[in-house]
Amino acid sequence: MAPDMQTQTTEAKAKPRNLLEVKGLKKYFPIQKGLLRKTVGYVKAVDDVNFFVREGETLGLVGESGCGKSTAGRSIIRLYEPTAGDVLFRSRHLGGEGNGLINLMGLPPDKMKTIRKEISMVFQDPINSLNPRMTVSDIVGEPMFIHGQRMGPETEAVIVNLLERVGLRPDHLRRYPHEFSGGQRQRIGIARALSLNPQLVICDEPVSALDVSIQAQTLNLLQDLQQDFNLSYIFVAHDLSVVQHISDRVAVMYVGKVAEIADAEELYSAPLHPYTEALLSAVPKADPLYKSDRIVMQGDVADPSNPPSGCYFHPRCRYAQEVCKLKNPELRELKPDHFVACHRAEELKLEGI
Amino acid sequence: MTVVEQTTPAAPAKQKQVSQSYWALVWWKFKRNRIAVLGGILLLSFYFGFVFIPEFLSPYELNHTSDFVEAPPTKLHFIDTEGKFHLQPFVYGMERKLDFKTRARTYVEDTTRMYPISLFIHGDEYKLLGFIPSDLHLYGVDQKANPEAIVLIMGADALGRDWFTRILYGGRLSLMIGLIGQVMTIIFGMTLGVMSGYYGGMIDQVIQRTTEFLNAFPDIPLFMALAAAIPTFWSPIAVYFMLTIILSFVRWGGLARQVRGLILSLREREYVLAAKSAGASDARIMFRHLLPGTMSHVIVIATLAIPGMILSETALSWLGLGLRAPLTSWGVLLQDAATVRAIHTTPWELWTVPFILVTILAYNMLGDGLRDALDPYGTR
Ligand SMILES: Nc1ncnc2c1ncn2[C@@H]1O[C@H](COP(=O)(O)OP(=O)(O)OP(=O)(O)O)[C@@H](O)[C@H]1O
Ligand code: SF4
Ligand SMILES: [Mg+2]
């Protein structure tokens, strides 16, 4: 059973309301073989994922390549139709049930279209995520156009405003994506994502493809925009260093499952999951004299179509015991607001940074 | 933590920043390919001359019959019998002789009668583009002053009609059937191809099996079967349109397959997901985001396929299954020329062939050039 995230078990400290709750989300891609395209198995890219995002916060979603982060992000807004699960969202336009949240699963297309104004996405690949045959003005204005705004001087003024806000010039309006650098293209993508004034932006590794120097700029920009536009972010990244400074809370994913979720500070300083510890050991330290042993994980990320038994992490875990091979650990709230899926979480003394 | 925002390198003030759209780059590349440009110019002039202004280019009206039945091409002269040079070319009058032994008609020049050929001469009346009345012809002999004079640069047919005039008018239907048919093929092929690739599943299966079914037939027998189904009492113009539809119907499959293949790869691009995440409809994704990415392929394929279309019309009409008199197309003209007797007595009727060949060659020159310029297999 997944822990009930909806009830906020923390002390009376007034926390912002939940903007998004993901419950038991699953996305299985069928593997088809042969002439008749018979389904011979499933890639369990996302397998029973649970987390929530509070209003105005940034949730970092971290895991190695192939852990299902993108799939999770895309399933939330039904770019991929999830196999199972619920996604509850506090919409400004559509009233929800008792708790003010509306379930996006099974929402009819017209209502889903309204939701798309409120949840937008920034993509990883700055080359592929912009249509090479459209001008910047068309790209940034497309969401507005789709939602019924006619192209005219007013819309153009909005677009120019957005471009300036992300650090591009108005004379870039009539240019094509290939005329820009990777960082600039990502800014175009960000302007586009903000064009409908969303509440939640899912950033799928927005800086992974950029040079390190440009990464910092782009992260700063995203942080500034969060303030100005009052945004919440789900920020996907494949290492913990990228999300360290911008996340309020961090979820660590491993092979389609959430391994650990906690407040960022706590997760970095006192991780409870061996996988988190291993990822943390790769984060560059602020103090160059401080030497910690980098934990080298054996082997690769498990194959989500044929995961190991028990804890999916056990073949690579240096604390693995017999029980780990047999039983799949559940995600449980070990400390307030600190969830972990590991049999030995209580006993292990793991090293943070 | 603040990092200096420097997103755009300061552009040199002098160097004007011109946004190069994809098509501007293509045009720039295309222009440098001489052969392709030549093909393009040839085709443009063919289409302009044969489709829009054959009435003006030809010396006579299409149905202008004369007594000069099966007359060979008239010779143009610059020097008369006295050896005097004329700047303005002229033709001699023609006298018909019947050889009673062989029963063959022969024509001899009557050097006593000289008719100068003038440019921009008034002759048969016609309506340019169907509505501009005119009687101006590019060249010819003055019919009013010398009604018995005639100029037949490519000879005459069995009704004494100028063969060159017939070729010009015939080009209109033949070239148009290639173009209209190809446009229809593109519309069929692209729409079905994009649906097949984008939706997949059942829709894909049905479309794919249909194209396989159509492709499995050899072309000509299939054309014959379909063309034979056209009722004989239909007006020639209805037959013409029906034939165009048949030709494109049989040929959309190949294009649909190609488009489908491209869509399969394009639909995985993140900009498609981006459009979806903004709430774009399927139609918008297919026609605004996916199809433009296949345009360069489609243009090349279509350009290279038009000759096949023109040849099919020619072949069908030649077999007597396509267009029929009184319509004039290159296929119909070939049919006239296709008997042993015709080749023996009126070999000039084969003048149709070079026109067909040059058209096809020009299309291939253009198509190859477009392929290089559009670089559909390149990265973009
Ligand atoms: N459309 C698909 N069909 C089949 N399998 C897929 C599909 N998309 C993703 N997968 C598989 O699902 C798993 C998770 O993929 P996903 O792209 O979500 O990982 P990720 O964590 O985003 O990795 P990365 O850091 O490389 O982006 C991978 O094993 C991948 O092969
Ligand atoms: S359950 Fe066992 S194998 Fe899995 S992370 Fe915890 S200790 Fe390691
Ligand atoms: Mg990814």
Side-chain angles (χ1 to χ4, degrees):
Chain A
M1 255 304 293
D4 192 3
M5 304 262 176
Q6 197 178 317
T7 48
Q8 299 187 10
T9 44
T10 34
E11 322 88 294
K13 227 199 302 175
K15 290 250 167 78
R17 296 180 298 178
N18 286 356
L19 177 66
L20 180 86
E21 293 177 6
V22 176
K23 294 181 171 182
L25 188 70
K26 292 183 185 173
K27 177 64 193 174
Y28 296 174
F29 294 106
I31 306 168
Q32 290 169 329
K33 280 236 174 79
L35 260 180
L36 297 171
R37 308 187 53 73
K38 229 175 68 185
T39 302
V40 295
Y42 292 94
V43 178
K44 298 180 177 178
V46 174
D47 194 8
D48 197 8
V49 160
N50 299 276
F51 61 81
F52 58 87
V53 182
R54 297 201 179 101
E55 282 182 333
E57 78 168 2
T58 300
L59 175 77
L61 189 58
V62 180
E64 286 166 287
S65 192
C67 281
K69 310 176 300 283
S70 299
T71 309
R74 290 169 184 184
S75 301
I76 289 170
I77 49 169
R78 288 174 64 191
L79 288 183
Y80 296 155
E81 206 53 59
T83 312
D86 290 313
V87 176
L88 308 175
F89 180 67
R90 189 179 304 279
S91 167
R92 274 187 293 212
H93 302 289
L94 303 175
E97 291 120 46
N99 50 8
L101 298 169
I102 186 167
N103 194 346
L104 304 189
M105 296 305 127
L107 213 57
D110 56 323
K111 291 197 169 157
M112 199 57 215
K113 191 171 166 181
T114 309
I115 295 293
R116 297 198 184 285
K117 287 199 272 191
E118 302 187 71
I119 308 179
S120 62
M121 198 152 184
V122 176
F123 291 86
Q124 172 173 2
D125 184 345
I127 294 169
N128 261 332
S129 58
L130 308 178
N131 189 333
R133 287 177 181 75
M134 284 165 72
T135 60
V136 170
S137 152
D138 287 340
I139 291 169
V140 176
E142 186 183 29
M144 292 189 265
F145 179 80
I146 290 170
H147 289 273
Q149 215 153 312
R150 292 304 111 191
M151 283 304 183
E154 285 159 48
T155 314
E156 189 153 307
V158 176
I159 297 172
V160 167
N161 201 9
L162 281 166
L163 286 186
E164 282 174 344
R165 193 59 203 78
V166 299
L168 294 169
R169 296 199 312 263
D171 64 296
H172 287 148
L173 220 50
R174 304 267 164 265
R175 305 250 193 112
Y176 290 85
H178 69 88
E179 299 171 64
F180 295 91
S181 70
Q184 287 176 316
R185 275 185 246 194
Q186 218 48 322
R187 286 163 192 265
I188 297 171
I190 292 169
R192 174 189 163 97
L194 296 181
S195 63
L196 291 174
N197 203 8
Q199 297 196 68
L200 176 66
V201 182
I202 299 176
C203 304
D204 187 358
E205 307 205 34
V207 298
S208 299
L210 306 180
D211 290 346
V212 179
S213 59
I214 312 289
Q215 284 192 359
Q217 286 180 24
T218 312
L219 287 175
N220 283 343
L221 173 68
L222 283 168
Q223 266 182 314
D224 293 348
L225 293 170
Q226 182 167 33
Q227 300 267 309
D228 298 357
F229 288 78
N230 200 8
L231 301 169
S232 306
Y233 286 140
I234 293 178
F235 197 102
V236 176
H238 58 249
D239 68 68
L240 279 165
S241 59
V242 172
V243 295
Q244 185 168 11
H245 298 292
I246 65 162
S247 302
D248 299 299
R249 286 166 55 251
V250 175
V252 177
M253 265 187 90
Y254 189 73
V255 195
K257 290 181 182 296
V258 173
E260 183 171 6
I261 311 181
D263 281 351
E265 263 173 54
E266 173 153 338
L267 186 119
Y268 282 85
S269 59
L272 291 177
H273 198 285
Y275 182 56
T276 313
E277 185 193 38
L279 290 180
L280 278 174
S281 76
V283 173
K285 304 298 178 299
D287 178 1
L289 297 178
Y290 178 85
K291 275 215 162 97
S292 81
D293 298 321
R294 178 164 179 170
I295 302 166
V296 182
M297 281 182 284
Q298 306 292 315
D300 286 326
V301 180
D303 178 1
S305 63
N306 182 23
S309 63
C311 173
Y312 289 177
F313 189 55
H314 87 252
R316 304 171 75 191
C317 180
R318 30 182 213 167
Y319 309 106
Q321 287 181 341
E322 207 50 41
V323 58
C324 304
K325 292 180 192 158
L326 303 173
K327 256 184 72 191
N328 191 3
E330 269 168 24
L331 189 67
R332 57 212 166 95
E333 189 168 14
L334 204 67
K335 297 189 214 165
D337 246 3
H338 195 154
F339 299 82
V340 64
C342 171
H343 294 304
R344 305 189 56 203
E346 285 94 340
E347 39 176 314
L348 293 174
K349 294 274 165 289
L350 302 181
E351 198 176 335
I353 53 172
Chain B
M1 183 162 80
T2 40
V3 176
V4 182
E5 293 278 53
Q6 175 142 47
T7 57
T8 40
K14 256 195 292 168
Q15 189 187 332
K16 191 167 166 273
Q17 297 227 349
V18 187
S19 184
Q20 289 276 39
S21 83
Y22 174 63
W23 294 107
L25 291 170
V26 166
W27 173 237
W28 180 80
K29 234 165 134 187
F30 177 78
K31 266 193 310 194
R32 299 193 308 174
N33 185 337
R34 295 248 176 84
I35 291 183
V37 171
L38 176 65
I41 290 173
L42 269 176
L43 284 174
L44 278 181
S45 32
F46 270 29
Y47 271 86
F48 182 69
F50 294 172
V51 175
F52 292 109
I53 55 161
E55 292 91 346
F56 166 72
L57 292 180
S58 60
Y60 300 102
E61 230 271 309
L62 176 61
N63 294 316
H64 182 111
T65 53
S66 71
D67 295 335
F68 299 95
V69 170
E70 296 181 348
T74 35
K75 289 196 189 73
L76 298 188
H77 297 273
F78 287 93
I79 298 165
D80 60 22
T81 40
E82 290 147 27
K84 223 174 90 197
F85 179 79
H86 298 251
L87 203 58
Q88 191 176 15
F90 61 91
V91 293
Y92 288 115
M94 271 200 292
E95 204 123 326
R96 179 160 59 164
K97 294 242 165 67
L98 207 57
D99 186 329
F100 285 103
K101 256 186 265 160
T102 60
R103 303 206 53 81
R105 260 185 235 97
T106 53
Y107 290 86
V108 288
E109 286 182 335
D110 176 357
T111 50
T112 57
R113 291 181 289 143
M114 270 170 57
Y115 307 113
I117 293 177
S118 344
L119 293 175
F120 303 110
I121 194 160
H122 294 277
D124 294 337
E125 288 179 3
Y126 59 86
K127 288 211 170 75
L128 197 65
L129 302 173
F131 67 92
I132 307 169
S134 169
D135 62 355
L136 210 60
H137 292 265
L138 177 62
Y139 74 95
V141 289
D142 193 342
Q143 287 184 57
K144 285 192 197 88
N146 312 298
E148 72 288 356
I150 196 157
V151 53
L152 307 161
I153 60 170
M154 291 178 187
D157 70 357
L159 295 174
R161 291 177 291 192
D162 177 30
W163 195 254
F164 180 60
T165 301
R166 298 197 73 197
I167 289 180
L168 285 171
Y169 279 77
R172 170 180 282 166
L173 289 193
S174 289
L175 293 178
M176 284 311 283
I177 211 167
L179 206 62
I180 298 177
Q182 198 54 46
V183 167
M184 286 176 35
T185 311
I186 290 175
I187 294 172
F188 280 145
M190 282 183 93
T191 312
L192 291 164
V194 73
M195 282 169 55
S196 190
Y198 181 69
Y199 287 115
M202 267 313 283
I203 295 177
D204 186 29
Q205 290 294 320
V206 170
I207 294 174
Q208 287 311 302
R209 295 299 88 77
T210 313
T211 64
E212 272 161 26
F213 182 73
L214 287 175
N215 283 351
F217 275 101
D219 271 5
I220 290 289
L222 182 62
F223 285 150
M224 285 168 70
L226 289 170
I230 301 177
T232 38
F233 55 81
W234 279 20
S235 73
I237 237 25
V239 171
Y240 174 69
F241 279 111
M242 199 58 211
L243 192 69
T244 320
I245 292 172
I246 289 174
L247 288 179
S248 48
F249 179 73
V250 173
R251 287 176 181 273
W252 62 264
L255 192 70
R257 275 188 159 235
Q258 300 249 14
V259 170
R260 170 182 179 269
L262 289 166
I263 297 292
L264 283 181
S265 78
L266 286 178
R267 72 170 187 187
E268 300 301 328
R269 299 276 166 91
E270 276 187 341
Y271 62 77
V272 174
L273 281 177
K276 252 193 205 167
S277 75
S281 61
D282 286 348
R284 183 177 173 85
I285 291 173
M286 285 193 281
F287 294 102
R288 184 80 179 84
H289 289 282
L290 293 175
L291 271 189
T294 67
M295 260 341 267
S296 44
H297 258 79
V298 168
I299 288 173
V300 171
I301 298 167
T303 310
L304 292 170
I306 293 178
M309 207 73 137
I310 294 176
L311 282 178
S312 300
E313 180 276 322
T314 314
L316 277 186
S317 303
W318 182 71
L319 288 168
L321 291 162
L323 304 180
R324 293 184 285 258
L327 289 187
T328 306
S329 76
W330 287 345
V332 173
L333 294 186
L334 274 188
Q335 198 189 5
D336 280 2
T339 59
V340 174
R341 187 186 125 5
I343 289 171
H344 179 69
T345 58
T346 55
W348 48 86
E349 292 191 351
L350 293 174
W351 265 112
T352 324
V353 177
F355 283 87
I356 299 174
L357 287 182
V358 171
T359 306
I360 286 163
L361 204 68
Y363 263 114
N364 284 318
M365 283 154 60
L366 176 70
D368 282 344
L370 285 177
R371 175 162 48 204
D372 294 343
L374 288 164
D375 188 17
Y377 304 99
T379 45
R380 292 194 35 134

